[in-house]
Amino acid sequence: DVKVTQSSRYLVKRTGEKVFLECVQDMDHENMFWYRQDPGLGLRLIYFSYDVKMKEKGDIPEGYSVSREKKERFSLILESASTNQTSMYLCASIPYPDRARGYTFGSGTRLTVV
Amino acid sequence: GENVEQHPSTLSVQEGDSAVIKCTYSDSASNYFPWYKQELGKRPQLIIDIRSNVGEKKDQRIAVTLNKTAKHFSLHITETQPEDSAVYFCAARGDYKLSFGAGTTVTVRA
């Protein structure tokens, strides 16, 4: 089974802090994604990466950045955390070129910004 | 970009009855449509998917239908059981990215 591991299950950060959310997958997948999940809004794509050092903006990239220095690791960075970034963050991955398959999700990081 | 709408937002059914969730999408280039189930406190899990060259797919009590002309697809759960209670998400994809619906909270009453 593919494993997508998110380093923290719960995080509490203060407004203005720089926050790093880490995601690691163990199946040599090329494509990795960061979503945030909010009640009534579903899952919204923040950023994705289709290769090392490559990144693309999703639907809601404002206030976020990403880093992919190694194939297995995709980091989401909140440059200056704000209360409206309190949410559940989900990482996912799929292989290439098998793009026509569903994602494997990590277990999620629930971030609270106070 | 792709816009996926999902209805209803909540659905309560009697155990043994059927449940139907409907989704529409906007991008005619989308060619892959998965459905996810998310139980409380857990990650979304793929339960069934369908590709654009197929009109219907069934897996035991779960079935999905796709109407490409109308740009809508549906999830059907028959003989519902308490363990079917969860949030269900539909999604659509044309290239790399999945666009998700807002989710349907399904409650199966015993």
Side-chain angles (χ1 to χ4, degrees):
Chain A
D1 265 357
V2 176
K3 271 196 177 172
V4 179
T5 303
Q6 294 182 231
S7 54
S8 302
R9 195 67 195 270
Y10 300 95
L11 274 179
V12 180
K13 296 292 182 181
R14 295 194 180 278
T15 302
E17 274 193 81
K18 190 168 186 176
V19 181
F20 293 85
L21 303 184
E22 304 288 344
C23 176
V24 177
Q25 50 92 4
D26 66 356
M27 284 300 290
D28 205 35
H29 285 178
E30 282 77 11
N31 302 300
M32 297 187 74
F33 307 82
W34 275 106
Y35 285 84
R36 65 176 281 177
Q37 182 178 8
D38 300 287
L41 296 177
L43 283 74
R44 294 179 291 165
L45 182 64
I46 305 170
Y47 266 97
F48 66 102
S49 169
Y50 51 88
D51 206 346
V52 177
K53 296 193 186 295
M54 305 300 287
K55 59 185 179 183
E56 293 279 347
K57 292 180 180 179
D59 299 319
I60 52 164
E62 296 79 18
Y64 303 94
S65 63
V66 290
S67 172
R68 192 157 181 212
E69 296 297 317
K70 293 185 177 181
K71 193 174 187 180
E72 67 270 19
R73 185 181 297 271
F74 191 35
S75 303
L76 180 69
I77 304 157
L78 286 66
E79 298 291 343
S80 177
S82 64
T83 55
N84 63 11
Q85 292 178 310
T86 291
S87 186
M88 170 67 84
Y89 290 87
L90 288 163
C91 175
S93 74
I94 54 171
Y96 180 89
D98 191 8
R99 293 178 289 170
R101 295 184 64 186
Y103 295 167
T104 299
F105 282 97
S107 55
T109 297
R110 184 165 293 282
L111 173 67
T112 302
V113 182
V114 297
Chain B
E2 176 66 273
N3 181 44
V4 178
E5 295 194 357
Q6 182 173 347
H7 300 280
S9 56
T10 60
L11 181 60
S12 179
V13 296
Q14 190 70 37
E15 183 176 357
D17 287 351
S18 295
V20 180
I21 303 170
K22 298 184 178 183
C23 290
T24 61
Y25 62 99
S26 61
D27 188 352
S28 57
S30 289
N31 56 18
Y32 174 67
F33 308 90
W35 286 87
Y36 285 83
K37 175 183 180 182
Q38 187 177 31
E39 297 175 344
L40 193 62
K42 296 190 177 180
R43 72 192 77 190
Q45 299 273 12
L46 179 69
I47 56 171
I48 195 167
D49 55 7
I50 191 167
R51 301 183 189 189
S52 57
N53 58 349
V54 176
E56 185 173 356
K57 184 176 177 181
K58 193 172 181 180
D59 182 4
Q60 299 183 331
R61 297 186 296 107
I62 294 173
V64 58
T65 59
L66 171 65
N67 183 327
K68 280 216 75 178
T69 304
K71 295 209 278 283
H72 65 71
F73 56 114
S74 300
L75 178 72
H76 304 251
I77 307 172
T78 58
E79 300 173 16
T80 53
Q81 300 169 5
E83 55 264 36
D84 295 328
S85 294
V87 180
Y88 292 81
F89 294 97
C90 63
R93 186 175 76 198
D95 47 20
Y96 293 98
K97 304 176 295 181
L98 275 177
S99 295
F100 287 85
T104 297
T105 301
V106 174
T107 303
V108 180
R109 307 187 306 272

